């Protein structure tokens, strides 16, 4: 990674019994220090999880919604589904 960019990798195992999509991911993200200033967030996962993660970054972490790219590359129980995740506003 050039230009001072940095990447840290954290493995988070999915909990199929979790009541909310991406709950373990969000719980893990809450423990990490992520700079809000000029941080771009890219999310590619199951549609409900992508929506939950985008909401977390925009609402809880206050990352500018234009700096969060989220897409649901599959939907649980459906085949061939792809969904870009955007805000209503």
């Amino acid at each position: 990674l050039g230009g001072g960019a940095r990447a840290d990798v954290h493995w988070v195992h999915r909990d199929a019994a979790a009541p909310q999509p991406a709950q373990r991911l969000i719980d893990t993200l809450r423990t990490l220090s992520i700079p809000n200033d000029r941080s771009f967030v890219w999310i590619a996962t199951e549609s409900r999880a992508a929506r939950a993660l985008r909401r977390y970054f925009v609402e809880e972490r206050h990352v500018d919604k234009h700096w969060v790219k989220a897409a649901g590359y599959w939907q649980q129980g459906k085949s061939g589904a792809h969904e870009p995740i955007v805000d209503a506003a």
Side-chain angles (χ1 to χ4, degrees), residues 32-48:
L32 303 175
S33 174
I34 301 170
N36 287 348
D37 183 34
R38 309 217 14 110
S39 291
F40 183 80
V41 178
W42 181 70
I43 301 162
T45 186
E46 191 276 330
S47 291
R48 291 183 320 134

Side-chain angles (χ1 to χ4, degrees), residues 59-76:
E59 294 178 5
E60 191 170 322
R61 283 293 181 105
H62 307 289
V63 176
D64 184 316
K65 67 182 179 181
H66 298 102
W67 285 71
V68 180
K69 165 78 170 154
Y73 280 91
W74 68 93
Q75 292 179 358
Q76 186 172 354

